[in-house]
Amino acid sequence: MNEINTTEERLRGEIELLKRQLEEQKKRSASEEPSGKAPTFRSLLTVLALLAVLAVAGYYLGYLPRQRREQVLAAEAQSTSESLPMVNVVKVKRSSTTGNLVLPGNIQAVTEAPILARASGYIRKRYVDIGDRVQAGQVVAEIEAPELDQQIRQAKAAVDQANSGVQQAEASLQQGRSNENLARVTAERWKKLLDKGVVSRQDNDTYQMQWAAQQANVQALEKAVAAANSNAGAMEANVSRLNDLQSYQTVRSPFAGVITVRNIDTGVLVNEGNTLLYRVAQTDRLRTYLNVPQSDAESVRVGQTATLTIPDLPGRGFPGAVARTSHALDPASRTLLVEVQVANSSGQLVPGMYAQVDLSVPRKNPPLVIPGDTLVIRADGPQVAVLRPDGTVHFTRVELGRDFGATLEVLSGLEEGQLLVVNPSDATREGAKVNPVGSSEKAPAKKN
């Protein structure tokens, strides 16, 4: 600035000297030239030279000093700005009101059942193999069991024998009732004779006791008939059981589905209740079990939409819905068991597939989200550097939620719209004034 002032003073002195020389030149020209004559070429040249000198002097005295002053002020401002550390800042934002919760799961059939042998014997013929679609009640295999046929004939013979026993017991009962009637008539006659004094009391008592004995005999014969009927019923039930077992020689599918397992072939010996013949599963509708974290368990409802994606089928989504929940958290994992069902009319999904299930979970109070590179881990917990309205830095503790890798959820400690310093360096200390870049907005004023 002192140099500029010295130059201006020197130029002003030169201009004053030129002005005096111009006035002296005018005077000499007026004294030398007669009046009424036009100025000479030399005089005009002198005037033009003086005007040019005045223009140059005005440039150096007016525009040039002003430009130099502006350059000096800009340099001073730039040096002041460069003295503050420059930091990148980002704004704290709130996450979406609808969170996409993606969980892994294994696809299973809604209904799946093993088909076991209910009759012992040899496989006479099988009709289906793995991958075949069957209808409810369709014959899938036949078992040959000759000894079962013999048991049925033996059981039927035992039924006939039991029925004969029933008939014999009924005949004995009829005879007993006849004897009881004869004893009753005789006893009544002797009682009348006793009343008339014709017979002795001893003879009358004998016939009365014979009547009572016949009555007891009739009761015993009735019980014998009942026992014979029960025995015959048991024999008939045994025949019905064996007939049912004989019907199991024809193996049928319990419901419509797909054969997923086959463990038999023609001629194989199978044992009742132990040998697995087939496994059938319904694949027109599938289900997937999910373990929803506790933080999102409250948002999952029955009937909520879901989308299944298969890594082996990129670009394809299979719509489904939440069919049921356990309504209780697993104390070991703090998760909610959820069943998602999806229609599979096309048959592209098969049981056992690995799937990713996307649940559109609505959030009543969406948490704040910050970039992961704004977080600072210190001994007293996770912190972030907040840019105050006055341009200073303040480190505040935060409570973190879920980690998404590039971003983090913040449950408490920040407010929406605050500016955070990205990758705070050693120069970014508590209370330090910084020069923020990367955001066109100013730091928000602190709320009361």
Side-chain angles (χ1 to χ4, degrees):
M1 293 295 293
N2 294 331
E3 182 180 357
I4 294 175
N5 295 333
T6 303
T7 304
E8 290 179 354
E9 291 177 358
R10 182 170 56 81
L11 290 175
R12 288 193 184 94
E14 292 179 356
I15 291 173
E16 292 296 333
L17 179 59
L18 290 173
K19 286 181 179 180
R20 288 195 297 271
Q21 292 178 356
L22 180 60
E23 290 177 355
E24 292 176 357
Q25 181 65 29
K26 288 180 179 179
K27 290 179 181 181
R28 284 197 299 270
S29 300
S31 61
E32 292 177 358
E33 295 179 357
S35 60
K37 292 184 178 180
T40 62
F41 176 76
R42 183 178 180 182
S43 299
L44 292 175
L45 186 61
T46 303
V47 172
L48 292 175
L50 291 175
L51 292 174
V53 171
L54 291 175
V56 173
Y59 171 77
Y60 280 100
L61 291 178
Y63 175 75
L64 190 59
R66 179 181 177 183
Q67 184 181 14
R68 288 181 178 179
R69 283 195 296 270
E70 291 178 354
Q71 292 177 352
V72 171
L73 293 175
E76 292 178 354
Q78 184 176 2
S79 62
T80 303
S81 176
E82 290 178 352
S83 63
L84 297 177
M86 299 180 64
V87 295
N88 295 322
V89 294
V90 294
K91 183 182 292 186
V92 178
K93 298 180 180 179
R94 192 169 294 277
S95 61
S96 175
T97 57
T98 301
N100 292 330
L101 180 63
V102 180
L103 297 173
N106 292 322
I107 298 178
Q108 304 176 15
V110 174
T111 304
E112 186 175 8
I115 302 178
L116 300 175
R118 291 297 307 277
S120 299
Y122 294 93
I123 298 297
R124 180 165 57 189
K125 191 173 183 180
R126 65 171 180 84
Y127 297 96
V128 295
D129 206 337
I130 57 174
D132 292 342
R133 293 188 174 273
V134 294
Q135 302 298 324
Q138 178 178 341
V139 178
V140 295
E142 290 184 359
I143 300 175
E144 184 179 8
E147 64 277 8
L148 182 59
D149 298 336
Q150 297 295 333
Q151 292 177 8
I152 291 176
R153 286 194 290 269
Q154 182 180 359
K156 289 181 178 179
V159 169
D160 294 338
Q161 184 177 1
N163 290 332
S164 299
V166 170
Q167 294 175 1
Q168 183 178 0
E170 289 177 349
S172 299
L173 176 61
Q174 187 67 28
Q175 183 179 2
R177 286 174 179 174
S178 299
N179 294 334
E180 187 265 338
N181 289 330
L182 178 61
R184 177 180 58 80
V185 171
T186 303
E188 290 177 352
R189 288 176 179 175
W190 279 88
K191 187 175 185 306
K192 291 179 181 180
L193 294 175
L194 177 64
D195 294 339
K196 294 179 180 181
V198 177
V199 294
S200 64
R201 184 178 297 275
Q202 179 65 35
D203 293 336
N204 179 59
D205 290 341
T206 301
Y207 287 107
Q208 296 297 330
M209 294 303 296
Q210 289 179 356
W211 181 28
Q214 292 297 329
Q215 288 178 341
N217 184 42
V218 169
Q219 293 178 357
L221 292 174
E222 289 178 348
K223 293 184 180 299
V225 171
N229 286 326
S230 299
N231 186 32
M235 294 300 177
E236 291 177 354
N238 186 39
V239 171
S240 299
R241 180 183 67 84
L242 293 175
N243 287 330
D244 291 338
L245 289 178
Q246 190 178 36
S247 67
Y248 292 144
Q249 290 179 337
T250 302
V251 183
R252 301 178 182 273
S253 175
F255 50 80
V258 177
I259 300 297
T260 59
V261 174
R262 176 185 64 82
N263 288 335
I264 60 169
D265 211 335
T266 303
V268 174
L269 176 63
V270 295
N271 295 320
E272 177 184 353
N274 294 326
T275 305
L276 175 65
L277 307 183
Y278 298 98
R279 183 177 292 274
V280 61
Q282 286 183 340
T283 59
D284 55 342
R285 192 166 192 83
L286 303 175
R287 64 183 174 185
T288 302
Y289 287 108
L290 308 175
N291 294 317
V292 179
Q294 179 178 346
S295 58
D296 297 307
E298 185 181 357
S299 303
V300 179
R301 295 289 183 271
V302 175
Q304 181 176 331
T305 60
T307 303
L308 273 70
T309 57
I310 309 298
D312 298 334
L313 301 174
R316 293 291 307 276
F318 300 90
V322 177
R324 57 185 57 86
T325 67
S326 62
H327 296 286
L329 296 181
D330 184 1
S333 60
R334 305 299 178 190
T335 56
L336 177 70
L337 183 62
V338 176
E339 179 184 340
V340 175
Q341 292 190 5
V342 57
N344 188 35
S345 58
S346 62
Q348 291 186 342
L349 301 178
V350 295
M353 274 187 170
Y354 172 79
Q356 294 282 346
V357 183
D358 188 354
L359 293 172
S360 298
V361 180
R363 294 181 176 179
K364 298 180 180 179
N365 187 20
L368 300 176
V369 178
I370 63 173
D373 51 6
T374 61
L375 185 66
V376 179
I377 304 299
R378 294 185 175 179
D380 53 349
Q383 299 181 4
V384 292
V386 180
L387 183 64
R388 291 172 174 170
D390 58 357
T392 58
V393 175
H394 171 64
F395 284 88
T396 180
R397 291 187 59 184
V398 294
E399 181 182 357
L400 300 178
R402 292 182 297 177
D403 187 354
F404 298 108
T407 58
L408 300 170
E409 283 186 356
V410 176
L411 304 181
S412 63
L414 293 177
E415 296 180 359
E416 185 177 2
Q418 287 183 313
L419 297 181
L420 304 181
V421 179
V422 180
N423 292 324
S425 61
D426 295 338
T428 309
R429 300 181 300 274
E430 176 69 27
K433 194 173 183 62
V434 296
N435 182 22
V437 296
S439 177
S440 60
E441 301 183 14
K442 298 181 180 179
K446 187 176 181 181
K447 296 181 181 180
N448 295 327

